[in-house]
Amino acid sequence: MTGRNAGAALEIAVTSPAGARAALAHSADRVELCGALELGGLTPSAASVEAAAAVGPPVQALVRCRPGDFVYEAEEIALMAAEVRSVLASGAAGVVVGALTAEGVLDRDAVARLAEAAHEAGRDRGRDVEVTLHRAVDQSADPVATAALLRPLGITRVLSSGGAATAAAGLATLAEMAAAAPGLEVMAGGGVRLGDIPALLGAGVAAVHLSAKTRAEPRRAGTWTPLGTAGTSPDEDTHFVTDPALVAAARRAVDAAPGPLASRAR
């Protein structure tokens, strides 16, 4: 035992095949592919999933049909079940889903339906698929109790900040989630900075998720006109791209971090 964190995974949130390529080049274990990262992420197109999967890293496709809360109508759940099947048919290795009730507890019926759609699509293709519960867990009334419900519903992992604004601030809750849900991969995500990674992995999470993003340089020669609520100025009216240097630095930080046993021994 060297004290290094053997086996900890690094997941990078990307919005394009170029982002997947940058993640692969710097040894990320997998990517979460989404559209509209500026809105917290939405379901990517089937063509985008196909192109990112062709790049090489395992693609976890976000399935979220709209921005805003995670309380969905029956029609929205049906739409997302169809999107689950679509992104898996396009080559995704897994999906990232979630739903809550208006009372702030896990919508078990909706999550079970989305997970079953994923596993059914996998069986149709003769392969296993992974299902991640996304950060809806951080808007639930009790993230620890929510994590404990997930394995029987067919969920592989949970992405969480421990219910806090950042994963570093939710460190204690993340540790509780890992303890409360044996067999569930707890992945820390939400405002993760490079300096946070040793403490997160030391607390017992199995993976770290970050966007490693930077704003793309606007390329416009004409007059700027706002086209939506997100664009409040010419400089801000752009999109995010993956920064290869941040991916490489995150990989080094994950590989160098002591594991939970080493952290407790000190």
Side-chain angles (χ1 to χ4, degrees):
M1 176 69 71
T2 64
R4 294 169 67 85
N5 198 316
L10 173 64
E11 179 177 285
I12 302 296
V14 304
T15 60
S16 67
R21 194 173 300 111
L24 180 66
H26 296 285
S27 303
D29 295 289
R30 57 181 179 257
V31 299
E32 180 194 21
L33 179 68
C34 66
L37 192 57
E38 311 82 51
L39 301 176
L42 298 174
T43 307
S45 71
S48 179
V49 175
E50 185 175 354
V55 169
V59 172
Q60 307 295 315
L62 177 66
V63 173
R64 184 181 179 216
C65 65
R66 57 159 173 80
D69 64 37
F70 301 107
V71 182
Y72 296 109
E73 304 294 337
E75 184 176 37
E76 293 174 314
I77 295 296
L79 173 61
M80 288 190 290
E83 288 181 327
V84 163
R85 290 186 283 269
S86 174
V87 297
L88 289 169
S90 298
V95 293
V96 185
V97 300
L100 300 175
T101 70
E103 293 71 36
V105 299
L106 186 74
D107 187 338
R108 282 189 272 189
D109 290 342
V111 170
R113 181 175 176 183
L114 296 173
E116 179 53 30
H119 292 302
E120 198 172 81
R123 288 192 295 269
D124 289 346
R125 289 164 179 77
R127 59 185 175 89
D128 293 332
V129 300
E130 299 175 323
V131 182
T132 301
L133 185 81
H134 57 48
R135 292 192 60 205
V137 68
D138 294 322
Q139 294 189 9
S140 69
D142 187 338
V144 177
T146 299
L149 298 172
L150 298 180
R151 284 296 291 160
L153 299 178
I155 304 298
T156 308
R157 70 178 60 89
V158 59
L159 169 63
S160 178
S161 65
T166 67
L171 187 66
T173 300
L174 286 167
E176 290 180 33
M177 292 169 72
L184 179 74
E185 181 182 312
V186 176
M187 178 166 60
V192 172
R193 297 182 180 275
L194 297 176
D196 301 330
I197 289 174
L200 291 170
L201 294 176
V205 304
V208 174
H209 167 107
L210 66 159
S211 57
K213 66 181 183 293
T214 188
R215 283 187 179 274
E217 192 70 27
R219 295 172 294 185
R220 60 176 69 89
T223 301
W224 177 79
T225 302
L227 301 177
T229 57
T232 58
S233 74
D235 289 335
E236 291 184 359
D237 189 11
T238 182
H239 62 286
F240 291 116
V241 295
T242 304
D243 185 334
L246 284 176
V247 179
R251 179 77 267 174
R252 290 192 297 270
V254 168
D255 290 344
L261 293 178
S263 296
R264 287 196 291 268
R266 286 200 295 270

